[in-house]
Amino acid sequence: MSSATSVQNDVEQCTTETVDVAIIGAGPSGSIVASLLHAQGKKVLVLEKQHFPRFSIGESLLPCCMQVITEANMLEAVNQAGFQFKNGAAFRYQDKYTTFDFTDKFSPGPGTTFQVERATFDKLLADEACKQGVDIRYGHTVHSVALSGEPSLEISNEQGQTQTIKAKFILDASGFGRVLPRLLDLEKPSTLPTRSAVFNHVRDNISDPNFDRNKILISVHPDNQDIWYWLIPFSDGRCSVGVVGEPHQLAVVENGLDGDLDQLLKIMIDQEPGLKKQLANAELINQSGLLKGYSANVKTLATDKFALLGNAGEFLDPVFSSGVTIAMQSASMAAKTLLKQLNGETVDWQQDYAAPLMKGVDTFRTYVEAWYDCRFQDTIFFDDPDPKIKQMICSILAGYAWDEQNPFVSESKRRLDMVVELCRS
Ligand code: FAD
C-alpha cells in the first residue's frame, strides 16, 4: 500500500465510523432503546447535542413506564434515586375534587411510579446505559441524513469537527428537536389545536396537611375549562407548576405584561382559587418558561432504514402525562422490531411498529380530545362513578393504553361516549 493511500485511509477512519444503530438524542427514548439493543449485542452509538444534566419538561411519570425501565435493567437505579413517589392523579374543578389511585386499576402491572426532575432522571437513565456499555457522545449534533444506500448521518462536535456515521439503521429519539421529520420533510400538522404552556419550579412551602404530594394535581380554570394547571410535587419541598391554554390566553403582550412570564404565571395561578391558596407562600425558583405549539405529527413513523421514537414522532398533549410513557413504549417496540431486522428476519415497520404504537397513542388521543371538549371532565367529576368502569379508565390514566384486554382501550371512543352519556343523563 502506498503511503498516500495509508494517509487517506487514516483520515477516512477518523471522519467515518460504522455502527449497527445510530441513535439521535439521549432523552428517555434514546437511552432506553440504546440499552435494549446493546444488551442484545448490537453496536449502538448515541449522539446527544447537549450536556447532561439539562432541563426538560415532562416530570410526572406513569406506572406503565416502570415496565420498560425494568426491561432496560434500570429499575433499581430509579428506585434508589430518591424521586418523589407517585400513586395517582388528582383533579380539581371549582369545588369538585376527585382522585384516581393507580393501584386500583384494571390492567396488570405496576401501580406506582415517580415524579422526577427530568435533568436528574434523564442523566440517571443515560448514565445507566453508559454503565451497561452504551457509547453516548455528548456535545455532538446531527445535521443531515442520507438514506440512499447505507443510511448515514453527518454530525459535528463542539470543536466544529465533522464526522460521518454510517449505520444499518437510524433511530430518531431527538424529542422536540424532531431531527428526521425536519430533514426528511415528514412533518404533518397535529390534529389538535395549538396550545401553549407557561411553567416554572417553585419552593412550594405548602403547609396544608391534606395536600397529597404522592399525586399530580390537575386543576381546571374556574371560568374557562380550556385552561388547566399542573402541580407536580418533587421530593425536596419543590413543585413543578404550569398552566396550559390557547396561545391568546397565555399571551404576555396582549395581557400587557411586556414579556414578563413570571408575572403571567402568577396572574394565571391567582385565577384558580384552590391553587392560589395552596401556593400562597410559594417562591419561584427559575425564570418561567414558555412552550408554544408543542403538538406535532408526522407522515410516517418508520421505514426499513429509520424509525421515530417518542416526541420525534407524534406528540399529543401533556394533560395526562403520557409523553415519557409513550417515548419509552416506542423505544421498547422499536428495539424488538429492529432486533428482528438486524437478525435477518423480514419485518414490516408499519405493521410491526407503527400500528401497535399508534394503538396506545390513539387511546390517549380519545381522552385528550374528550378532556378539551369537557366530556372527560364531566365523567371524572361525576359524583357516583361505577367502580369497575373507574378501574378501566384508571388503567389508561396509569399509562396502560396498549392493554387490549381493557374495553376502554380496544373500543376507546365508543366506551367513553357511552360513559359520558350515562354521566350526563
Ligand atoms: P427528549 O426527552 O426531548 O430528548 C431528546 C434529546 O435529543 C434531547 O436531549 C436533545 O438535546 C437531543 N437532540 C435534539 N436534537 C438533536 C440533534 N440535532 N442532535 C443530537 N441530539 C439532539 N411527559 C410526561 O411523561 N409527563 C409529564 O408530566 C409531561 N409534561 C409535559 C408538559 C408540557 C408542557 C409538554 C410540552 C410536554 C410534557 N411531557 C410530559 C412530554 C415529555 O416532555 C416528552 O414526551 C418526553 O420528554 C419525550 O422524550 P424523548 O426521549 O422523546 O425526547
Side-chain angles (χ1 to χ4, degrees), residues 55-57 59 196-201 230 240-243 261-262 265 284 286-292 294:
F55 175 83
S56 172
I57 196 79
E59 296 140 325
S196 298
V198 179
F199 50 86
N200 206 330
H201 288 173
W230 75 76
S240 168
V241 61
V243 55
L261 287 177
D262 288 351
L265 182 60
L284 292 184
N286 307 315
Q287 279 199 326
S288 301
L290 167 72
L291 270 175
K292 188 176 161 194
Y294 40 70

Side-chain angles (χ1 to χ4, degrees), residues 36-334:
L36 296 173
L37 293 169
H38 174 80
Q40 297 304 315
K42 302 303 168 197
K43 186 174 181 193
V44 297
L45 174 61
V46 184
L47 303 153
E48 168 55 59
K49 76 173 177 186
Q50 300 188 65
H51 289 270
F52 284 16
R54 54 95 178 93
F55 175 83
S56 172
I57 196 79
E59 296 140 325
S60 192
L61 306 181
L62 300 181
C64 178
C65 81
M66 303 309 282
Q67 292 180 318
V68 186
I69 292 175
T70 308
E71 235 180 280
N73 214 4
M74 298 181 184
L75 185 66
E76 201 184 332
V78 170
N79 277 340
Q80 287 178 356
F83 294 125
Q84 171 64 48
F85 175 78
K86 174 180 173 186
N87 63 10
F91 295 88
R92 178 172 60 212
Y93 173 51
Q94 297 178 341
D95 58 351
K96 296 183 180 129
Y97 177 81
T98 187
T99 58
F100 283 81
D101 173 352
F102 289 161
T103 62
D104 186 16
K105 60 177 168 42
F106 171 85
S107 305
T112 65
T113 183
F114 297 103
Q115 287 162 167
V116 301
E117 208 177 339
R118 284 285 301 279
T120 316
F121 179 70
D122 289 12
K123 182 170 183 334
L124 183 141
L125 298 186
D127 287 351
E128 284 304 301
C130 287
K131 278 189 217 158
Q132 294 171 3
V134 169
D135 185 357
I136 300 184
R137 290 191 205 155
Y138 295 97
H140 284 67
T141 302
V142 172
H143 298 287
S144 67
V145 61
L147 293 177
S148 54
E150 192 178 23
S152 68
L153 296 172
E154 293 300 319
I155 66 165
S156 71
N157 63 17
E158 286 159 340
Q159 288 70 49
Q161 291 159 324
T162 57
Q163 209 187 351
T164 302
I165 306 294
K166 291 188 173 170
K168 293 178 184 140
F169 201 87
I170 297 171
L171 289 168
D172 185 358
S174 64
F176 290 120
R178 302 182 64 73
V179 173
L180 293 192
R182 282 188 292 104
L183 294 174
L184 299 174
D185 192 22
L186 303 175
E187 295 279 16
K188 188 170 112 177
S190 171
T191 51
L192 297 161
T194 304
R195 293 196 171 88
S196 298
V198 179
F199 50 86
N200 206 330
H201 288 173
V202 295
R203 181 145 304 285
D204 59 73
N205 297 317
I206 297 175
S207 54
D208 177 1
N210 295 321
F211 177 59
D212 186 352
R213 298 196 79 87
N214 297 339
K215 291 184 175 63
I216 181 175
L217 172 64
I218 301 291
S219 50
V220 181
H221 192 286
D223 308 320
N224 187 341
Q225 285 178 264
D226 272 355
I227 300 176
W228 62 270
Y229 306 79
W230 75 76
L231 190 62
I232 302 174
F234 296 137
S235 57
D236 61 356
R238 293 177 306 142
C239 274
S240 168
V241 61
V243 55
V244 172
E246 291 184 15
H248 71 273
Q249 293 163 329
L250 299 181
V252 273
V253 178
E254 281 86 333
N255 288 318
L257 299 177
D258 198 21
D260 188 341
L261 287 177
D262 288 351
Q263 202 187 344
L264 175 68
L265 182 60
K266 192 166 174 340
I267 289 173
M268 294 307 296
I269 287 172
D270 284 352
Q271 289 177 11
E272 203 284 87
L275 212 50
K276 181 180 179 184
K277 197 168 157 204
Q278 268 159 334
L279 295 180
N281 299 316
E283 303 151 49
L284 292 184
I285 293 175
N286 307 315
Q287 279 199 326
S288 301
L290 167 72
L291 270 175
K292 188 176 161 194
Y294 40 70
S295 301
N297 203 351
V298 283
K299 293 174 199 160
T300 182
L301 273 177
T303 68
D304 60 349
K305 295 191 174 176
F306 70 86
L308 311 179
L309 309 184
N311 274 25
E314 179 166 9
F315 179 70
L316 293 171
D317 188 272
V319 68
F320 299 121
S321 309
S322 56
V324 171
T325 296
I326 293 174
M328 289 192 181
Q329 202 69 31
S330 69
S332 169
M333 289 174 167

